Amino acid sequence: MSKHPLEKWGNLVGNKRSRWVTLILWILIVGVLSMTLPQINSVENFSGSDLPEDVMSERAASIIEEQFPSDAGLPLLIVWYKEAGLELEDLQGIQTLYKELGENPLDGQSMIPPFGELPTEALLGSVSENGSSIVTPVFFDETTDTEVIKENLAKISEMTEEALGENPYSTNLEEDVLHARFSGPAGISVDATDLFMQADVKLLIATVILILVLLIVIYRSPILAITPLIVVGIAYGAISPLLGWFADNGWIDKDAQAVSIMTVLLFGAGTDYCLFLITRYREKLLEEENKFIALSQAMKESGGAILMSALTVFIGLATLGLANFGAFERFAVPFSFAIFIMGIAALTILPAILAIMGRVAFFPFVPRTEDMERKRAQEKNKPYKEPKPKHPVMTKIGEFVTDKPWLVIIVTMVVLGGLALTSTQIKYNYDLLSSFPEDMPSREGFTIIAENFSPGELAPVQIIVDTKGEEVNLTKQIDSLFYIDVVSEPIVSGKDSNIQLYEADLNVNPYANEAMDVIPTLKADIETMLSGAGVDAADESYWIGGETSSQVDKKMVQERDESVIQPVMVVIIAILLLVYLRSVPATIYLVGTVLISFFAALGLGWLVLTTFFGAESIASALPLYSFVFLIALGEDYNIFMISEVWNNRKTQGLKEAVKNGVAQTGSVITSAGLILAGTFAVLATLPIQLLVQFGVITAIGVLIDTFIVRPLLVPAITVVLGRYAFWPGKLWKK
């Protein structure tokens, strides 16, 4: 009888001779890649727009750049604040700083306002009405590197200290002294880069320590605890330079958030794949004395589930490549590529290492066959101890589920359904600053502006009008709109006299959802105004730009991506399950259970974030990020458990097959789920709200899959369906 292909593969990579060749080959590959290619974290982070070029806010930005060119460059806003009111002495210090910047320009500095040359009284006109704040800009070339800007901020800080005799950038805002904060696009870019640089290091260290501790606690074997980390570490050693090469050649755009989350995914999912094989290997070592034969048999029984799980996650995450929103699209390659390499590593490096260590890997609880244990007891002159029953807890759970399947289905569906309904109450935000810690300098600067100036001054709405040759001036009409605080006189393009630019301040926070609700109204009002002026508004005659318009477009593009990616991903995974299991009902309920699990995770995550983290809203990108992870990873556990049930069904009755399937996979999936949830929960320790919220929701989703869906709901549905759970495959006829 010919051997199973995976059994042959296990023998190929992990026999007595090939085990060392496999390991050394991987180490050589990683060494060569690391020496010849750049690491992904060494590549400059993508800094362009996430929106497609054809949305209105991007078209407006393009027209402004073309028709109203400015040599000013990238603005750094220095926000000055004193609660008791700015004094002439403070303004004179600001002038001294700008005089120094004029005489000794910084690297990449393109221009500064002539504050150093003006009478001090002239600056009073720029101070807020309450007299507490003033915002002064410094402009840098658009091509200036973030690292150079960061060095410039340090120099400005030194120059300010010399001018004022104190450093206002490191003060506590509650103190009654002069404060200064770097904000605006340049300040935000530096803060964002610093946040992700800190996050990467903290994340890697915390993830490794957590996995190590959990593996030692669960398996009580230091060697076994280190083994998955070695495999994942070698895989990462190949993934990082290859992704760096892709980014360096412009094939992908490097995204710091994607790299951070990829690290968590790699260690969490990679450790899971390793545990699936390690657990099966341990079971085979209890039956087979030859460690190489045991390894081949373990590969035969677990390799298919690992391969299918990795393929499901790989294809599922790759669907992000269908996105129009840049941040979604930039996640596709790092996520899917990392899983692809990790899947290969789990089926090559891990068997090689296990073949090298054999039973020693499980020290001090070494698995031996009954004959080996009897012989060992005889040599030590000790009585032979009968082995303890396997998986007693999970066996009882399996018995309960198979005895009372309807009770399990009703209770779990009520709980999950209730949590899923809670997800409809979630509020979303669409601005970048919401992800920053409240004490981040750039966010503190924006808060000062919001509290001391007109809210709309944070980010004016830019209204561009094509007059089509008509006499048009919309200033008074725009100013009369109830949601507009103030509007500028029109600026006429020097290239096309028909193009006008108005800048209007909203009377609400331009980053708030209330401001986003204003944009459709503003569009309708501008159309009415233009029609009244004889301009055909049906043709392209106006464009709305600025941050608020950009957030509206962001919402539209993200909703489009969700409507495309989510169903495509579900269909692809359903097809994979159908091919693998050859069962229509099983495919339907396996997909259905992870879908309700996802919505339940969103609902419970929202309750946790609002109750314990003080969140008032969550990032708009989270539903899609969480969806692709939870659907793919949740299906992982279903596949591993249901594979066991299908295998058992060949020789056992239905209830027995389900009960044993739950028992045999229970401990490893529970361990894997705890580790995966723990690695995502590590994100909650970071200072970036987007990652905190993503980590909490995804960790909750993994735990729901681990402790409710996989051991209770899926087995119960399988029992209720009976033999129809296998239709139309061979097992259905049994």
Side-chain angles (χ1 to χ4, degrees):
M1 185 176 178
S2 63
K3 291 184 177 180
H4 190 278
L6 285 169
E7 189 174 1
K8 292 180 180 178
W9 177 257
N11 185 58
L12 177 66
V13 297
N15 63 38
K16 194 170 184 178
R17 295 180 180 178
S18 65
R19 50 184 176 166
W20 287 106
V21 174
T22 303
L23 182 60
I24 292 170
L25 188 60
W26 263 97
I27 292 172
L28 287 174
I29 290 171
V30 170
V32 171
L33 292 176
S34 299
M35 288 187 289
T36 57
L37 301 177
Q39 300 293 325
I40 184 62
N41 282 324
S42 69
V43 179
E44 183 69 16
N45 196 47
F46 176 77
S47 57
S49 174
D50 286 326
L51 295 172
E53 294 179 356
D54 60 350
V55 299
M56 182 173 280
S57 59
E58 288 297 302
R59 290 278 293 118
S62 176
I63 292 170
I64 290 173
E65 186 177 351
E66 178 188 342
Q67 299 291 336
F68 306 93
S70 170
D71 296 328
L74 183 72
L76 166 71
L77 301 182
I78 307 178
V79 184
W80 309 85
Y81 169 72
K82 182 184 278 187
E83 186 177 3
L86 294 170
E87 302 171 8
L88 283 178
E89 184 182 350
D90 300 321
L91 298 178
Q92 288 167 356
I94 294 171
Q95 286 185 299
T96 303
L97 168 65
Y98 273 79
K99 190 172 182 180
E100 178 68 20
L101 287 171
E103 294 172 356
N104 299 294
L106 302 167
D107 290 344
Q109 179 180 312
S110 58
M111 69 161 286
I112 57 169
F115 293 144
E117 313 300 325
L118 299 174
T120 305
E121 289 75 12
L123 286 184
L124 291 172
S126 300
V127 175
S128 61
E129 285 187 15
N130 61 15
S132 67
S133 309
I134 188 172
V135 180
T136 61
V138 177
F139 295 92
F140 297 100
D141 293 332
E142 295 281 357
T143 56
T144 306
D145 187 83
T146 304
E147 195 59 38
V148 174
I149 294 176
K150 183 178 180 180
E151 293 170 3
N152 287 338
L153 298 192
K155 291 176 183 177
I156 292 175
S157 181
E158 293 173 7
M159 294 162 70
T160 305
E161 192 166 1
E162 289 179 12
L164 298 173
E166 57 186 357
N167 186 346
Y169 302 99
S170 58
T171 55
N172 186 325
L173 290 179
E174 295 180 0
E175 299 173 6
D176 188 18
V177 295
L178 177 66
H179 309 279
R181 295 294 185 269
F182 296 122
S183 196
I188 291 173
S189 68
V190 170
D191 281 352
T193 302
D194 285 348
L195 275 177
F196 284 111
M197 284 180 65
Q198 297 169 22
D200 283 340
V201 176
K202 289 180 181 177
L203 197 59
L204 186 59
I205 294 172
T207 303
V208 170
I209 291 174
L210 177 71
I211 291 175
L212 192 60
V213 169
L214 285 174
L215 285 173
I216 289 175
V217 170
I218 293 169
Y219 290 99
R220 297 172 293 169
S221 169
I223 300 175
L224 184 61
I226 294 170
T227 302
L229 294 177
I230 292 173
V231 176
V232 176
I234 293 173
Y236 183 80
I239 292 165
S240 178
L242 286 171
L243 287 177
W245 181 46
F246 296 165
D248 204 39
N249 282 280
W251 300 331
I252 63 171
D253 293 315
K254 184 256 182 127
D255 188 299
Q257 286 189 27
V259 174
S260 296
I261 298 175
M262 181 201 76
T263 305
V264 172
L265 173 67
L266 190 65
F267 275 90
T271 302
D272 282 3
Y273 297 153
C274 291
L275 291 185
F276 292 164
L277 177 57
I278 288 171
T279 302
R280 192 50 49 89
Y281 183 44
R282 186 182 184 281
E283 291 174 358
K284 291 303 172 184
L285 287 174
L286 293 170
E287 303 169 2
E288 173 58 53
E289 187 169 345
N290 187 305
K291 65 180 182 181
F292 300 113
I293 296 175
L295 180 62
S296 295
Q297 292 174 349
M299 283 289 290
K300 172 188 173 182
E301 295 187 14
S302 65
I306 294 172
L307 194 62
M308 183 63 187
S309 297
L311 185 62
T312 302
V313 179
F314 167 72
I315 294 178
L317 297 178
T319 57
L320 285 169
L322 299 172
N324 282 342
F325 189 65
F328 293 157
E329 190 270 336
R330 289 194 299 275
F331 276 47
V333 173
F335 290 176
S336 56
F337 183 73
I339 287 295
F340 176 75
I341 299 296
M342 189 61 242
I344 295 173
L347 296 173
T348 53
I349 306 172
L350 181 60
I353 292 175
L354 292 177
I356 290 169
M357 294 190 297
R359 287 179 165 82
V360 175
F362 302 90
F363 178 84
F365 301 97
V366 179
R368 300 180 180 88
T369 64
E370 183 179 339
D371 289 342
M372 292 173 70
E373 285 289 5
R374 289 184 181 279
K375 185 177 180 182
R376 186 166 176 264
Q378 188 176 5
E379 289 173 353
K380 291 187 173 185
N381 292 321
K382 291 182 178 181
Y384 169 71
K385 293 182 179 179
E386 293 288 340
K388 295 179 181 178
K390 294 181 182 179
H391 319 301
V393 175
M394 295 311 301
T395 298
K396 288 182 180 179
I397 291 174
E399 289 173 351
F400 175 75
V401 170
T402 53
D403 287 343
K404 300 179 180 179
W406 277 112
L407 175 64
V408 171
I409 292 172
I410 292 169
V411 172
T412 54
M413 288 300 291
V414 167
V415 172
L416 295 178
L419 292 174
L421 284 175
T422 306
S423 68
T424 60
Q425 307 302 310
I426 296 175
K427 297 176 183 177
Y428 298 101
N429 60 67
Y430 296 85
D431 62 302
L432 173 65
L433 282 175
S434 296
S435 284
F436 284 14
E438 291 184 359
D439 60 353
M440 209 68 186
S442 57
R443 184 167 180 178
E444 285 187 333
F446 265 80
T447 302
I448 292 170
I449 296 173
E451 292 175 351
N452 296 282
F453 292 86
S454 164
E457 288 185 64
L458 281 167
V461 174
Q462 297 164 324
I463 305 168
I464 306 161
V465 171
D466 184 351
T467 65
K468 311 286 187 180
E470 301 289 339
E471 288 290 329
V472 176
N473 189 322
L474 305 180
T475 304
K476 288 185 179 180
Q477 290 173 277
I478 295 173
D479 193 43
S480 68
L481 297 173
F482 71 90
Y483 46 82
I484 297 295
D485 189 23
V486 64
V487 62
S488 68
E489 287 293 331
I491 303 171
V492 179
S493 168
K495 295 184 177 181
D496 184 345
S497 59
N498 290 326
I499 304 296
Q500 298 178 349
L501 170 63
Y502 300 83
E503 290 204 335
D505 294 348
L506 299 175
N507 54 20
V508 294
N509 182 344
Y511 291 95
N513 288 353
E514 299 94 302
M516 293 172 61
D517 295 337
V518 164
I519 296 299
T521 307
L522 176 59
K523 289 179 179 179
D525 288 338
I526 295 296
E527 286 183 13
T528 302
M529 294 175 197
L530 290 174
S531 295
V535 178
D536 183 7
D539 195 8
E540 275 203 332
S541 55
Y542 73 94
W543 300 265
I544 309 294
E547 287 299 321
T548 311
S549 178
S550 179
Q551 288 182 195
V552 171
D553 288 336
K554 179 180 180 181
K555 179 180 181 182
M556 176 190 69
V557 173
Q558 287 184 346
E559 287 176 348
R560 174 267 170 199
D561 287 346
E562 288 179 14
S563 68
V564 171
I565 292 172
Q566 289 178 347
V568 167
M569 183 179 178
V570 168
V571 169
I572 290 174
I573 289 179
I575 291 171
L576 289 173
L577 286 171
L578 188 59
V579 171
Y580 183 62
L581 297 175
R582 292 176 172 79
S583 165
V584 173
T587 298
I588 293 172
Y589 70 75
L590 288 179
V591 171
T593 52
V594 293
L595 283 173
I596 193 171
S597 171
F598 159 71
F599 287 109
L602 269 186
L604 183 54
W606 172 245
L607 294 176
V608 170
L609 289 169
T610 52
T611 305
F612 299 104
F613 291 83
E616 297 178 357
S617 59
I618 65 174
S620 60
L622 283 182
L624 186 56
Y625 287 147
S626 300
F627 183 88
V628 294
F629 274 84
L630 290 177
I631 299 301
L633 295 172
E635 217 56 271
D636 255 14
Y637 296 158
N638 276 342
I639 288 169
F640 197 70
M641 191 274 291
I642 214 73
S643 295
E644 198 70 27
V645 173
W646 256 237
N647 188 53
N648 292 344
R649 185 69 183 94
K650 295 174 184 176
T651 57
Q652 300 170 8
L654 176 65
K655 284 191 174 183
E656 193 72 11
V658 173
K659 182 189 77 173
N660 290 337
V662 171
Q664 290 159 352
T665 61
S667 60
V668 62
I669 293 180
T670 302
S671 303
L674 286 172
I675 289 169
L676 189 60
T679 53
F680 279 111
V682 169
L683 291 170
T685 65
L686 299 178
I688 306 163
Q689 290 304 304
L690 173 65
L691 296 184
V692 169
Q693 294 167 357
F694 173 74
V696 168
I697 291 172
T698 310
I700 287 172
V702 171
L703 292 176
I704 288 174
D705 278 326
T706 303
F707 292 101
I708 297 178
V709 174
R710 189 272 315 162
L712 301 174
L713 185 55
V714 169
I717 294 173
T718 306
V719 171
V720 166
L721 289 176
R723 71 188 188 93
Y724 292 100
F726 306 93
W727 182 83
K730 292 180 180 178
L731 296 175
W732 171 67
K733 299 172 184 177
K734 186 172 178 180

